[in-house]
Amino acid sequence: MSLDAKTVTRIARLARIGLKPEEVETLGQDMGSIIDWVEQLKEVDVTGIDPMIGTGLAKPRLREDAVTDGDCRDKVLSNAPEREGPFFTVPKVVE
Amino acid sequence: MSGIHDFTLASARDALKSRKISAVELTNAHIDAIERLDGQLNSFITRTPDQAREGAKVADEALAKGEGGRLCGIPLGIKDLFCTNGVRTTAASKILGNFVPPYESTVTANLLKDGAVFLGKLNLDEFAMGSANLNSAFGPAVNPWKRKDSDAKLVPGGSSGGSAAAVAAGLVLGATGTDTGGSIRQPAAFTGIAGIKPTYGRCSRFGTIAFASSLDQAGPMARNLQDCAILLESMAGFDPRDSTSVDTPVPNYEASLKRGVKGLRVGIPKEYHVEGMPAEIEALWQQGMNWLRDAGAEIVEVSLPHTKYGLPTYYIAALAEASSNLARYDGLRFGERVSAPSLDGLYEASRAAGFGEEVKRRILIGTHVLSSGYYDAYYLRAQKVRTLIQQDFLKAFENVDVLLTPTAPSGAFAQDEKPTDPVQMYLNDVFTVPASMAGVPALSVPAGLDARGVPLGLQLIGKFFDEETLIAAGHAIEQAAAFHHRPTIHAGVSA
């Protein structure tokens, strides 16, 4: 079942992706058919089953709480689309 | 100089060590081949010939002194998902079209440390999302194979389609790939080459642009398993900068080629006989069983009862993780920015302009399944089913050493035969996704040609960190299949 325009618009807003009106309908259909298809997971009995979190192969590790990286401000800023001196710039967010 | 494009990675390594050929000659021959043929294949997004020649010179100096690492002077291609210091890295996305990483991924750093020479960055599906390399902002990579009755352009598979095309056409001696649900194995099968998806945690993910972090795994793609084994030995290893990296020694993978399969128990998962699978793929699978049996292995039927839930589980888990991982492309710190009066407007405009259609679709579905009210119904349930899928494999491996299956349900299809329904498109990954979900290693080897002259692959799936048994069994298939066919477009074919 196709997702309605309101739902698609709400999800797009959550994902911060601007959509054109004509995209909303097509995406609603595509997303609806994918969601319908994954509904088949409802038939699996998962009573008492833990969710898989990682493969359980990597051991959690601790390291010394010490600086291991840094002092590379220009590298960090080197791909900034817009910057002012040592700062990233953003549109004004506080009135 | 004839025969230079007949080298495998292993034979080139030996020829370099014995100084029968110089690294500069070898590198130049590959740069020439790329210039001649890549206009047809579009397998490279960025070429780095100057850097490669420089690297080759350094390699020759080391080789002349009898020094140099295990890949000294070997020309490789790098999937454009691995960050390379000072060399543009795009993930085949417009949003990273001008991104130049100020650091090197661990996998590529390991290859450079061993003396490899990088010819450039290889095409892929945008952010590794796709099975045909049709979702690249830099245009599709093209399969060097053609059907014998048609000139139609075939897809090289995906997402590591550029890596597969470049290896198959002889433009590089090997390439890196990444595999989230089949992105090494399926393109390897589509182009008649070998590829290994190692155990999750075997190769570091540090510096590899993330798609679905609990599934992404780097691995080698090359013309045969010996070459893949040599590459894997260099790429693999513990990395403290990746919290999912596993601290276990890297064995001598090349040595495992000689092990043979005598007494090996090979499982055939009965659920992989899917409805509608072409008869020639069933026949090839049977042929694979016969080859392994003739080499001394025992064939045993096994059951992986949750196989049919692999794909839908994958598309929930992978897309949820993708929506989270790709949130970082906000137009502020790196990547394409489209200005707007408000901050939210800037995010929305930058992401609308920077992401392609399939990436947007996947982010939106991922956002949906993680959103309030749906999390338990979709994401949490999928992670529980994933546990069941993993248990299927662990149980099967109590009784067998490896599993044998086809790699993909078809050979390479033409660019214009791409299914319009996204669910149909996802079915390409039906045999590769379950091993990714479980985190176990798997490989694909070329095993034959279909009726139209296009290569088909067989997949082997192994136990956690037992890539050696996989390689041994894969090599037995290689020897029996004796796959020496070459694609229509190949560096060694004179025009």
Side-chain angles (χ1 to χ4, degrees):
Chain A
M1 203 179 70
S2 178
L3 293 186
D4 62 45
K6 205 175 133 202
T7 308
V8 176
T9 309
R10 184 182 60 84
I11 299 166
R13 171 87 187 116
L14 287 172
R16 298 292 188 277
I17 295 178
L19 295 182
K20 297 187 200 100
E22 63 268 27
E23 284 178 302
V24 172
E25 197 188 330
T26 326
L27 276 165
Q29 283 164 8
D30 286 353
M31 290 169 67
S33 77
I34 294 166
I35 303 274
D36 288 347
W37 173 65
V38 301
E39 291 288 337
Q40 59 178 298
L41 293 187
K42 293 218 167 111
E43 69 196 46
V44 186
D45 181 7
V46 292
T47 320
I49 304 293
D50 288 329
M52 181 169 151
I53 297 164
T55 48
L57 298 170
K59 301 271 179 299
R61 306 188 292 272
L62 291 174
R63 68 167 175 84
E64 203 189 327
D65 184 14
V67 176
T68 56
D69 200 356
D71 202 15
C72 52
R73 188 180 70 193
D74 286 341
K75 281 187 176 181
V76 171
L77 287 158
S78 63
N79 282 286
E82 284 174 39
R83 59 183 277 198
E84 253 181 65
F87 301 105
F88 295 109
T89 60
V90 297
K92 193 170 164 189
V93 284
V94 186
E95 291 305 322
Chain B
M1 173 135 199
S2 70
I4 204 160
H5 294 293
D6 298 323
F7 278 127
T8 60
L9 191 153
S11 63
R13 172 194 62 184
D14 299 343
L16 285 165
K17 285 250 186 278
S18 59
R19 308 307 291 147
K20 288 201 182 86
I21 185 171
S22 75
V24 169
E25 280 174 285
L26 188 65
T27 294
N28 279 333
H30 285 87
I31 291 171
D32 290 347
I34 293 165
E35 280 170 8
R36 263 191 298 134
L37 300 178
D38 207 45
Q40 297 171 66
L41 297 175
N42 196 32
S43 67
F44 280 82
I45 289 177
T46 304
R47 302 179 192 177
T48 55
D50 297 338
Q51 194 180 321
R53 286 195 186 96
E54 204 50 48
K57 241 184 262 172
V58 174
D60 275 331
E61 283 161 26
L63 288 160
K65 287 185 247 168
E67 295 167 2
R70 73 188 108 202
L71 294 171
C72 194
I74 297 292
L76 302 177
I78 302 300
K79 185 179 186 179
D80 205 15
L81 201 65
F82 293 86
C83 286
T84 40
N85 191 7
V87 175
R88 181 174 76 142
T89 300
T90 69
S93 181
K94 202 164 163 256
I95 211 160
L96 285 177
N98 296 308
F99 177 64
V100 179
Y103 65 102
E104 190 77 29
S105 82
T106 297
V107 163
T108 49
N110 288 345
L111 293 169
L112 288 171
K113 197 178 67 207
D114 282 334
V117 169
F118 294 169
L119 294 164
K121 306 298 291 288
L122 295 165
N123 207 347
L124 66 151
D125 283 297
E126 183 178 1
F127 285 106
M129 297 179 186
S131 311
N133 213 134
L134 293 168
N135 303 329
S136 167
F138 296 84
V142 176
N143 196 325
W145 292 82
K146 292 202 188 291
R147 290 175 182 150
K148 52 189 181 193
D149 53 0
S150 145
D151 201 39
K153 283 184 181 172
L154 303 182
V155 303
S159 69
S160 309
S163 301
V167 169
L171 306 188
V172 297
L173 282 171
T176 60
T178 63
D179 191 313
T180 304
S183 281
I184 287 175
R185 292 160 281 161
Q186 184 255 19
F190 274 21
T191 56
I193 65 166
I196 304 177
K197 179 203 90 76
T199 310
Y200 182 80
R202 178 74 288 184
C203 293
S204 168
R205 290 182 299 110
F206 178 81
T208 310
I209 294 172
F211 159 18
S213 304
S214 75
L215 295 155
D216 297 343
Q217 186 56 212
M221 301 172 79
R223 263 163 258 156
N224 60 40
L225 282 176
Q226 183 180 15
D227 293 359
C228 284
I230 296 166
L231 286 170
L232 181 59
E233 224 172 294
S234 176
M235 294 166 71
F238 176 64
D239 181 6
R241 289 182 297 185
D242 172 0
S243 63
T244 58
S245 174
V246 180
D247 193 359
T248 184
V250 179
N252 180 344
Y253 292 122
E254 201 181 352
S256 58
L257 287 164
K258 299 198 186 95
R259 271 194 197 175
V261 294
K262 203 154 259 174
L264 203 71
R265 290 172 65 83
V266 178
I268 307 299
K270 61 178 185 194
E271 292 80 4
Y272 279 52
H273 293 281
V274 294
E275 214 178 294
M277 185 151 73
E280 55 189 342
I281 292 192
E282 278 284 351
L284 184 80
W285 191 8
Q286 187 57 53
Q287 176 71 69
M289 297 176 211
N290 296 343
W291 283 332
L292 287 173
R293 193 185 288 116
D294 292 346
E298 190 185 340
I299 305 295
V300 188
E301 189 184 77
V302 297
S303 174
L304 303 171
H306 296 89
T307 295
K308 71 175 272 211
Y309 303 111
L311 270 180
T313 307
Y314 173 83
Y315 275 91
I316 292 174
L319 273 46
E321 293 182 25
S323 78
S324 171
N325 270 324
L326 273 61
R328 75 191 63 177
Y329 304 103
D330 57 8
L332 298 184
R333 292 156 301 150
F334 44 75
E336 175 163 316
R337 163 185 257 185
V338 176
S339 293
S342 70
L343 185 60
D344 277 335
L346 183 150
Y347 294 148
E348 290 185 353
S350 300
R351 290 162 65 80
F355 290 136
E357 195 188 334
E358 177 67 15
V359 172
K360 284 182 198 171
R361 183 157 53 211
R362 293 197 186 193
I363 291 175
L364 292 174
I365 294 166
T367 305
H368 180 61
V369 301
L370 288 177
S371 64
S372 167
Y374 294 99
Y375 179 87
D376 286 359
Y378 291 114
Y379 187 70
L380 193 63
R381 172 168 284 267
Q383 291 293 64
K384 289 179 180 174
V385 178
R386 194 173 169 188
T387 299
L388 295 171
I389 293 169
Q390 190 183 49
Q391 285 173 357
D392 283 355
F393 279 100
L394 298 182
K395 221 167 139 196
F397 286 130
E398 286 171 9
N399 190 31
V400 296
D401 301 296
V402 293
L403 302 170
L404 175 72
T405 80
T407 307
S410 74
F413 47 90
Q415 285 183 348
D416 58 6
E417 290 165 0
K418 178 193 166 183
T420 47
D421 176 5
V423 172
Q424 278 302 315
M425 189 67 191
Y426 296 166
L427 290 177
N428 269 299
D429 303 326
V430 63
F431 299 134
T432 49
V433 150
S436 298
M437 298 306 294
V440 292
L443 60 74
S444 178
V445 280
L449 299 177
D450 73 6
R452 304 172 89 172
V454 173
L456 298 172
L458 285 172
Q459 174 179 236
L460 288 158
I461 304 171
K463 298 176 181 176
F464 286 136
F465 289 98
D466 192 10
E467 282 81 1
E468 292 164 279
T469 301
L470 267 189
I471 291 168
H475 190 54
I477 294 178
E478 273 184 331
Q479 285 177 308
F483 184 94
H484 298 302
H485 309 277
R486 271 190 171 172
T488 314
I489 302 172
H490 188 278
V493 179
S494 49

